[in-house]
Amino acid sequence: MNLTLHVWRQPGPDARGGMERYEARDISPDMSFLEMLDVVNESLVESGKPPIAFDHDCREGICGSCGMMINGVAHGPMRGTATCQLHMRSFGDGDTIYIEPWRSRAFPVIKDLVVNRSAFDRIIASGGFITAPTGSPQDANNIPVAKRDADEAMDAAACIGCGACVAACPNGSASLFTAAKISHLGLLPQGQPERERRATRMVAQMDAEGFGHCTLYGECQEACPKQISIDTIARMNRDFLVATRHEHEEKVLGGG
Amino acid sequence: MELKSKVPSGPIERKWDKHRFEMKLVSPANKRKFTVVVVGSGLAGGAAAATMSELGYNVKCFCFQDSPRRAHSIAAQGGINAAKNYQNDGDSVYRLFYDTVKGGDFRSREGNVYRLSQVSVNIIDQCVAQGVPFAREYGGLLANRSFGGAQVSRTFYARGQTGQQLLLGCYQALEKEVSKGGVTMYPRTEMLDLIVISGRARGIVVRDMVSGEISSHLADAVVLASGGYSNVFYLSTNAKGSNATAIWRAYKRGAAFANPCYTQIHPTCIPVSGDHQSKLTLMSESLRNDGRVWVPKRKEDCGKRPQDIPDADRDYYLERKYPSFGNLSPRDIASRAAKEVCDEGRGVGPGGRGVYLDFADAIRRLGKEKIAERYGNLFEMYQRITDENPYEVPMRIYPAPHYTMGGLWVDYNLMSTIPGLHVAGEANFSDHGANRLGASALMQGLSDGYFIVPLTIGDYLGSNKLEPVSVDSPEVKATEAAVRQRTEKLLSVQGSRTVASFHRELGRLMWEYCGMARSAEGLKQALAVIPKLRDEFWHDVRVLGTGAELNQSLEHAGRVADFLELAELMCIDALHREESCGGHFRVEHQTPDGEALRHDEQFAYVAAWEYAGDAQPPVLNKEPLVFENVPLSQRSYK
Amino acid sequence: MHPLAFYRSTIGKKIIMGVTGLIGIAFVILHMAGNLQAFAGPRKLNAYGAMLHGPLNELLWVLRIILIVAVILHVLMAYQLTMRSRAARPIGYEHREPQVSTLAARTMKWGGVLLLAFIIFHILHFTTQTVDPAGMRGMTDVAGDRDVYGNIVASFQIWWVAVFYIAAMIALGLHLYHGAWSSIRTLGYAKASPNPLHRRIALVVAIVVWLGFTLVPLGVIAGIIR
């Protein structure tokens, strides 16, 4: 099949960008979306034009490197699927496809479709962990975890950190990303001691990065390749509220 | 070159304890004076960086991805082994050790493997403490499954995303240390050379992949944890970015490369669908617990729809040939068996390169719901890629390059032949011999990263007096200049062929001649072609753009240039090893019924290749392997 | 956490919006119940009005102050968060296809602005009678109470007043639907479920409030309230 692409091209972080038009010829429906871009890129290089830069690595939907707005939808038309796992059979011959990078102040464009998502790393660094230095913790089976909790924690932990939630959110909010980690760790007994501190710190970092707020449109959950639920956001807010009360109390007690 | 394995003396159970006691320590106050560079942020590198920072070292960690969380460890699906014996099915540290030595076809070092098995139990404790959401039973305790040719259930898992969850645990520990200031993270930064001063590894030269700036990072010790080199085959289950540059550059600076020909071809991958294919996708081996592998008995039936082929006309060849292990036979054996039936013309799907993995019986026995619960995400992934519903038609699978057991030679301390250069995880050669068992890669990565390198680094730093070094030293300047020159050379060729076209060609060549079955004739042919292809690459590759920007073609070109050299060493090693063992199958050396035939008297050694200059063939060094605990025997899974 | 840090965080602001929104919902339900007394005739409604302004005057003022503070906070937070959300995406998409957001969710911002305009008009119209399209300022009924009923009837007989009210009530219904369920979530009370109970409750609240308020102008137009 043949397609017309409109792709955001931007030579560098501070350069001006714009949409460019390309033709993708002889595309097989069995190709993945990124393989289609590979074909376009090879023909660009052959004709002496700079190839389209895009992030990708595992190409099996787990590393979270890839991600682009495809016809205005984060990761394209297939639900629960990262861009690398989207196949061309989701499109028709003669289709026009618009491809843009994730748009967020906190995800500045580096080049073409490549954006800088290090804001996510800083959110995790602010508190998205359990402090358990390498050593000799107790035997793993000394901490029983109800299957329901373990399953729910796993649902939240499935986040691949791709940034589609931010890209799809009309407010450019990173709430789903942050809430997924807060939920994952907050649902487990091991995560309890740091639960409140984690919520306050991660939320503060999320805000400091310049992400927008959550109005529960639900676009993030729809765009998420791992279909993480916005229920996690309610959990985050609850932890945040509880933390507000407790830490305030702590301070009052300490002061007295 | 003298290869000192430094495996401690004494009974195998006591070696690691004894060694830990004998190792030099660095006092807490002194640790912060030492800087350690870690290349790679996967299970081995991330765990090592986090743990060394916890201990007090000053750590700089580098990864080419945009975040340490994306390292390819993330893609491991099935699970991680540990000798916990939670299932009371007769498992023990000794049994895991025994299985691993045997599974590696007696080409690994007993001392290392025993330590790996010992440490495996600590890994699970550590990961659970970090909040890794392993699968659990209703009682709240950890669930286990049997995996990849083991007769006990010792595999811990987190759905089909075990690698992801372990890596995220490790990444979170790493970010915790980043926030405390112990680790400085350098994402989108690629190591392009190793700095060796007075014979010791003292730092690395890197390229900032965003700005293109080339700079040096000096250190007191360097840890390479940069993964394996399966991408030499172009089509593999590795991530597109996985590359051998870090270890190859270290090899060229004097680190011996051990057993480069030991590659693992994973039996259950989605077959190639066309020339456009950019990578292969693994379907977790756990599928073989319930799926049955078959091909039609007759060639004529290959074109038929699988549901139209009656049971009597199907050849369940793994069950037929290996009745006691059946569909769960180890990877090398299952892969080779698939190749054999396809070579006989009984393969299915495009190009006749595929076999069926059929769940019909399991669905009949357990119900669709149970199967969906166990493998739902894998079935979905299969359907997304192939547009076929595996609940209704059998999956088609075919082997694909997956893991490389070979890697830089290391001693018991995981130190290479360059003092101060430690190598962890898949990048080293240490624990899997000629074949790796399923769910052991994650175990080895975390074992090296959490529990071994952070201690042995202390021994190295505590027992050596290191001279101060400066970025202005001639060695640093020369290494940087070499990197710049190479980058400029790649950009200046301005030929006519794309980097990918060279990579594809090399991959086809390696798959054909140095893949699942190798022959002296084929390897010689490959050795004749590879230098020509390399020459053509340096004269006709087209890399556009400049070195001072994000330039993905340039990155790819540098990696392919190294693969073009490594490929040759793999073929040299494969040609010299006149035997079959594990993943290395030489057609000239097989038993009458087609199984791998080892020649222990001649080849029970580690082949550690030493770089001798571009114009000279590499020098072979041998580390003899001694088996005091697991008696040498022919592997049999019948 | 310092209260100021709470106020500064996006979640803190959202929680303030949620709480003030719930206050608003409680108020509109009471208000609506009062309005429906129009169907019981002029005496009943005017007496109710007189009771609020007579014996319950202090309580009324307490509620009014709470309400005014709530509205101010709600609007202020909405403004700040909207500005923040704009700043979060300085360069927009050439193409964007919303996938699941409801009409209610997407109209929160402009619907909110419309409601604010409506509330101001409404207070000027019925409370202070500064705006007096029907010429009812100072009118009393036979018992000497302010003729609220008469004002309602006369006003809603003016087509544009009725249209404005009905339109505003549609905006209110939508605002309440998204506002009610999302406030509950924002406050952290949400059980995991694809069709959670609070979403259904929000729908019922939105429909009841919208219907209750709309019935009065409709009643006037239909001639049931005369």
Side-chain angles (χ1 to χ4, degrees):
Chain A
M1 53 205 233
N2 297 317
L3 303 152
T4 305
L5 308 182
H6 293 267
V7 185
W8 180 264
R9 300 303 305 265
Q10 181 176 334
D14 304 317
R16 274 175 64 95
M19 299 296 277
E20 298 265 345
R21 188 192 147 109
Y22 302 97
E23 303 295 326
R25 303 242 156 257
D26 301 323
I27 300 301
S28 150
D30 286 331
M31 281 182 191
S32 73
F33 195 83
L34 298 185
E35 283 167 350
M36 181 273 292
L37 288 180
D38 289 343
V39 169
V40 172
N41 272 347
E42 284 216 50
S43 68
L44 282 173
V45 171
E46 276 157 12
S47 57
K49 294 190 190 119
I52 302 160
F54 59 91
D55 265 327
H56 64 101
D57 202 20
C58 78
R59 295 206 178 189
E60 44 188 270
I62 194 75
C63 76
S65 296
C66 65
M68 43 192 89
M69 287 300 261
I70 300 168
N71 284 338
V73 182
H75 287 307
M78 197 164 190
R79 237 180 142 228
T81 304
T83 303
C84 62
Q85 292 277 285
L86 176 68
H87 281 68
M88 295 313 291
R89 61 181 83 93
S90 297
F91 299 88
D93 189 23
D95 278 3
T96 298
I97 306 177
Y98 289 83
I99 308 172
E100 296 175 72
W102 291 162
R103 293 287 187 202
S104 161
R105 180 162 70 118
F107 290 169
V109 171
I110 293 174
K111 184 176 187 177
D112 300 342
L113 305 171
V114 177
V115 299
N116 180 348
R117 287 169 289 196
S118 55
F120 273 7
D121 290 333
R122 290 188 290 273
I123 292 177
I124 297 296
S126 70
F129 48 78
I130 290 171
T131 305
T134 310
S136 299
Q138 60 182 320
D139 185 89
N141 257 352
N142 284 353
I143 316 168
V145 182
K147 188 170 189 309
R148 195 188 49 229
D149 292 338
D151 285 348
E152 216 180 315
M154 181 62 217
D155 287 341
C159 169
I160 58 174
C162 63
C165 48
V166 173
C169 176
N171 302 316
S173 171
S175 290
L176 191 65
F177 171 80
T178 310
K181 189 47 65 194
I182 287 176
S183 298
H184 158 211
L185 299 176
L187 276 157
L188 296 171
Q190 306 92 296
Q192 298 314 307
E194 289 165 297
R195 183 167 167 182
E196 294 173 11
R197 200 176 70 145
R198 182 180 306 126
T200 48
R201 293 196 174 175
M202 289 181 76
V203 168
Q205 188 63 37
M206 170 178 90
D207 286 348
E209 296 291 346
F211 291 107
H213 65 294
C214 171
T215 37
L216 290 158
Y217 284 102
E219 293 288 344
C220 54
Q221 142 183 298
E222 193 64 17
C224 177
K226 296 294 158 189
Q227 296 181 298
I228 292 171
S229 160
I230 51 173
D231 293 342
T232 55
I233 296 176
R235 282 189 178 280
M236 166 169 76
N237 288 10
R238 188 158 57 204
D239 282 2
F240 182 80
L241 252 180
V242 171
T244 308
R245 210 172 62 223
H246 284 178
E247 291 198 21
H248 190 54
E249 280 166 12
E250 263 171 41
K251 211 162 277 171
V252 172
L253 283 174
Chain B
M1 179 181 281
E2 198 187 1
L3 298 172
K4 276 200 205 141
S5 73
K6 295 192 186 151
V7 177
S9 58
I12 195 139
E13 301 81 15
R14 302 274 311 133
K15 283 183 197 290
W16 178 231
D17 278 353
K18 179 167 175 268
H19 192 63
R20 274 197 293 182
F21 178 71
E22 286 169 355
M23 277 194 289
K24 289 273 192 317
L25 296 175
V26 179
S27 83
N30 282 337
K31 284 195 181 110
R32 83 177 78 93
K33 295 180 191 156
F34 289 112
T35 297
V36 183
V37 153
V38 179
V39 181
S41 65
L43 290 184
T51 305
M52 287 190 291
S53 167
E54 285 165 4
L55 290 173
Y57 295 109
N58 196 355
V59 180
K60 290 177 163 190
C61 184
F62 297 79
C63 69
F64 71 79
Q65 297 91 342
D66 71 323
S67 161
R69 68 178 293 149
R70 308 206 196 283
H72 191 56
S73 306
I74 205 156
Q77 297 169 354
I80 177 166
N81 286 333
K84 280 286 196 185
N85 193 29
Y86 280 159
Q87 306 306 322
N88 193 32
D89 54 1
D91 199 11
S92 63
V93 167
Y94 200 88
R95 187 177 293 280
L96 175 56
F97 156 69
Y98 179 92
D99 286 355
T100 307
V101 170
K102 181 187 166 201
D105 217 356
F106 302 94
R107 290 294 174 264
S108 50
R109 204 188 272 150
E110 278 191 344
N112 285 53
V113 178
Y114 194 87
R115 174 178 62 185
L116 173 68
S117 309
Q118 275 178 306
V119 164
S120 70
V121 298
N122 304 104
I123 295 172
I124 301 303
D125 298 341
Q126 180 60 31
C127 293
V128 166
Q130 284 174 342
V132 170
F134 283 121
R136 291 188 180 257
E137 305 291 358
Y138 281 100
L141 301 185
L142 290 156
N144 289 117
R145 60 183 172 201
S146 82
F147 196 85
Q151 287 175 314
V152 290
S153 292
R154 63 161 76 100
T155 304
F156 294 78
Y157 61 99
R159 298 208 183 131
Q161 289 138 273
T162 318
Q164 179 199 25
Q165 291 311 314
L166 295 176
L167 183 66
L168 292 182
C170 173
Y171 157 72
Q172 286 159 209
L174 183 64
E175 290 297 338
K176 161 177 72 75
E177 293 305 305
V178 168
S179 75
K180 287 204 298 201
V183 177
T184 311
M185 198 58 227
Y186 296 84
R188 290 196 198 271
T189 307
E190 187 170 37
M191 168 181 164
L192 292 180
D193 215 335
L194 180 74
I195 297 169
V196 180
I197 301 174
S198 316
R200 294 181 188 280
R202 295 308 301 268
I204 58 173
V205 176
V206 299
R207 178 171 179 271
D208 176 327
M209 291 154 72
V210 175
S211 69
E213 192 193 335
I214 286 166
S215 62
S216 296
H217 293 265
L218 298 181
D220 299 293
V222 175
V223 179
L224 296 188
S226 53
Y229 50 90
S230 293
N231 270 347
V232 73
F233 293 101
Y234 183 68
L235 288 182
S236 83
T237 66
N238 279 13
K240 291 296 284 175
S242 299
N243 67 83
T245 291
I247 54 173
W248 191 250
R249 294 287 118 198
Y251 163 75
K252 296 188 86 167
R253 295 273 168 203
F257 204 123
N259 304 330
C261 77
Y262 289 168
T263 53
Q264 180 166 76
I265 313 294
H266 194 290
T268 54
C269 301
I270 300 177
V272 175
S273 71
D275 290 337
H276 56 263
Q277 194 96 21
S278 64
K279 78 150 273 163
L280 296 170
T281 303
L282 182 83
M283 289 277 100
S284 167
E285 193 165 19
S286 62
L287 291 168
R288 290 200 277 147
N289 283 331
D290 286 306
R292 296 179 71 194
V293 179
W294 65 275
V295 288
K297 277 188 180 159
R298 292 188 304 262
K299 278 187 210 174
E300 307 83 76
D301 287 348
C302 289
K304 284 191 189 164
R305 296 191 316 161
Q307 52 270 50
D308 295 340
I309 302 175
D311 222 41
D313 292 339
R314 299 176 177 188
D315 179 12
Y316 293 93
Y317 58 89
L318 284 177
E319 296 170 25
R320 173 171 58 80
K321 289 164 96 168
Y322 308 101
S324 68
F325 278 71
N327 295 301
L328 292 172
S329 304
R331 291 177 175 175
D332 52 340
I333 292 185
S335 291
R336 216 153 44 233
K339 180 182 187 307
E340 253 168 52
V341 293
C342 292
D343 286 348
E344 288 165 18
R346 295 193 286 141
V348 295
R353 289 281 144 192
V355 300
Y356 289 123
L357 179 62
D358 198 337
F359 290 88
D361 283 350
I363 291 172
R364 252 191 309 272
R365 191 175 71 242
L366 302 165
K368 188 176 165 181
E369 219 159 88
K370 192 83 195 166
I371 293 298
E373 189 193 310
R374 284 189 192 164
Y375 310 111
N377 55 342
L378 297 170
F379 277 36
E380 269 172 41
M381 184 154 103
Y382 182 84
Q383 186 160 13
R384 265 202 293 274
I385 293 173
T386 62
D387 208 22
E388 287 175 1
N389 181 356
Y391 292 102
E392 285 158 17
V393 288
M395 282 185 179
R396 282 177 299 108
I397 53 164
Y398 197 66
H402 173 60
Y403 187 90
T404 50
M405 284 73 69
L408 293 185
W409 184 90
V410 288
D411 62 15
Y412 192 70
N413 290 322
L414 303 186
M415 190 158 83
S416 70
T417 52
I418 301 176
L421 179 70
H422 293 68
V423 191
E426 192 181 348
N428 73 27
F429 89 106
S430 72
D431 297 342
H432 305 298
N435 174 54
R436 180 174 65 72
L437 291 179
S440 286
L442 302 181
M443 174 172 70
Q444 187 220 336
L446 287 180
S447 155
D448 290 0
Y450 280 135
F451 297 108
I452 299 170
V453 164
L455 302 189
T456 57
I457 281 266
D459 184 45
Y460 170 75
L461 295 173
S463 48
N464 289 284
K465 177 104 184 67
L466 301 175
E467 303 293 318
V469 289
S470 131
V471 281
D472 299 319
S473 70
E475 290 91 341
V476 175
K477 290 284 161 221
T479 315
E480 272 186 26
V483 167
R484 283 208 178 84
Q485 193 193 355
R486 201 173 129 86
T487 304
E488 277 155 26
K489 199 171 158 200
L490 285 168
L491 287 163
S492 66
V493 178
Q494 295 291 339
S496 66
R497 284 182 63 181
T498 63
V499 180
S501 78
F502 282 102
H503 197 175
R504 264 196 297 270
E505 189 175 337
L506 175 69
R508 269 197 296 267
L509 197 72
M510 290 300 283
W511 184 234
E512 178 70 26
Y513 298 117
C514 199
M516 266 187 286
R518 298 144 178 193
S519 68
E521 191 194 349
L523 289 165
K524 281 178 190 153
Q525 202 166 335
L527 283 170
V529 178
I530 292 169
K532 284 186 197 142
L533 185 63
R534 193 164 57 222
D535 196 51
E536 192 187 343
F537 174 87
W538 284 105
H539 285 99
D540 198 24
V541 72
R542 172 179 287 192
V543 182
L544 300 173
T546 68
E549 59 177 334
L550 178 74
N551 189 336
Q552 293 175 323
S553 308
L554 177 64
E555 294 157 18
H556 192 195
R559 295 166 190 172
V560 171
D562 288 334
F563 282 136
L564 281 162
E565 296 180 9
L566 167 61
E568 190 172 355
L569 186 67
M570 287 171 71
C571 293
I572 291 173
D573 186 42
L575 184 63
H576 115 279
R577 191 166 280 277
E578 289 281 355
E579 66 164 350
S580 295
C581 57
H584 170 65
F585 189 78
R586 283 285 299 271
V587 293
E588 302 92 338
H589 304 280
Q590 46 183 311
T591 62
D593 50 355
E595 300 298 333
L597 183 63
R598 290 198 323 262
H599 299 307
D600 292 330
E601 326 71 55
Q602 296 151 270
F603 288 101
Y605 63 75
V606 175
W609 298 91
E610 185 185 349
Y611 178 68
D614 282 334
Q616 302 294 322
V619 177
L620 174 64
N621 298 276
K622 297 177 185 177
E623 180 205 336
L625 291 168
V626 189
F627 294 90
E628 292 168 338
N629 296 279
V630 186
L632 279 161
S633 60
Q634 201 206 330
R635 274 165 91 210
S636 171
Y637 293 94
K638 295 204 174 203
Chain C
M1 193 182 352
H2 196 273
L4 203 61
F6 175 82
Y7 171 79
R8 282 190 185 137
S9 73
T10 51
I11 296 183
K13 288 183 197 296
K14 285 295 297 183
I15 288 172
I16 295 172
M17 278 197 82
V19 170
T20 53
L22 290 176
I23 293 172
I25 290 173
F27 168 76
V28 293
I29 290 172
L30 284 178
H31 188 343
M32 177 205 73
N35 282 14
L36 288 177
Q37 295 178 66
F39 287 97
R43 260 323 297 148
K44 187 89 181 169
L45 187 68
N46 291 350
Y48 169 69
M51 178 182 72
L52 287 181
H53 290 276
L56 296 182
N57 201 29
E58 282 83 8
L59 179 68
L60 183 69
W61 270 106
V62 170
L63 292 179
R64 273 179 173 170
I65 289 165
I66 292 174
L67 200 61
I68 289 167
V69 171
V71 168
I72 290 172
L73 280 175
H74 198 79
V75 171
L76 185 67
M77 294 302 103
Y79 173 76
Q80 290 181 355
L81 287 170
T82 303
M83 289 301 118
R84 208 188 143 85
S85 134
R86 286 203 183 150
R89 180 165 295 137
I91 301 170
Y93 293 108
E94 304 258 326
H95 278 254
R96 214 188 97 67
E97 292 290 329
Q99 297 295 294
V100 286
S101 32
T102 56
L103 179 68
R106 274 179 280 149
T107 53
M108 286 305 270
K109 230 172 287 170
W110 291 111
V113 172
L114 176 70
L115 281 178
L116 184 63
F118 169 75
I119 290 166
I120 293 167
F121 173 79
H122 182 66
I123 292 170
L124 294 175
H125 180 195
F126 281 116
T127 311
T128 66
Q129 294 191 326
T130 320
V131 178
D132 188 18
M136 295 292 287
R137 192 176 298 139
M139 300 287 242
T140 52
D141 69 355
V142 285
D145 294 330
R146 192 160 91 166
D147 192 3
V148 180
Y149 186 88
N151 196 0
I152 286 176
V153 175
S155 296
F156 287 148
Q157 278 167 347
I158 301 165
W159 70 269
W160 62 267
V161 177
V163 166
F164 184 41
Y165 267 78
I166 290 170
M169 287 313 109
I170 291 172
L172 179 65
L174 288 171
H175 204 80
L176 280 199
Y177 171 56
H178 186 77
W181 84 266
S182 70
S183 320
I184 294 169
R185 274 211 189 237
T186 299
L187 293 172
Y189 301 98
K191 268 225 177 103
S193 148
N195 184 18
L197 181 65
H198 64 273
R199 191 146 198 165
R200 276 174 276 164
I201 293 175
L203 187 63
V204 170
V205 167
I207 289 175
V208 166
V209 168
W210 166 73
L211 204 64
F213 276 120
T214 308
L215 277 179
V216 176
L218 284 183
V220 171
I221 292 164
I224 299 165
I225 300 173
R226 286 179 283 171

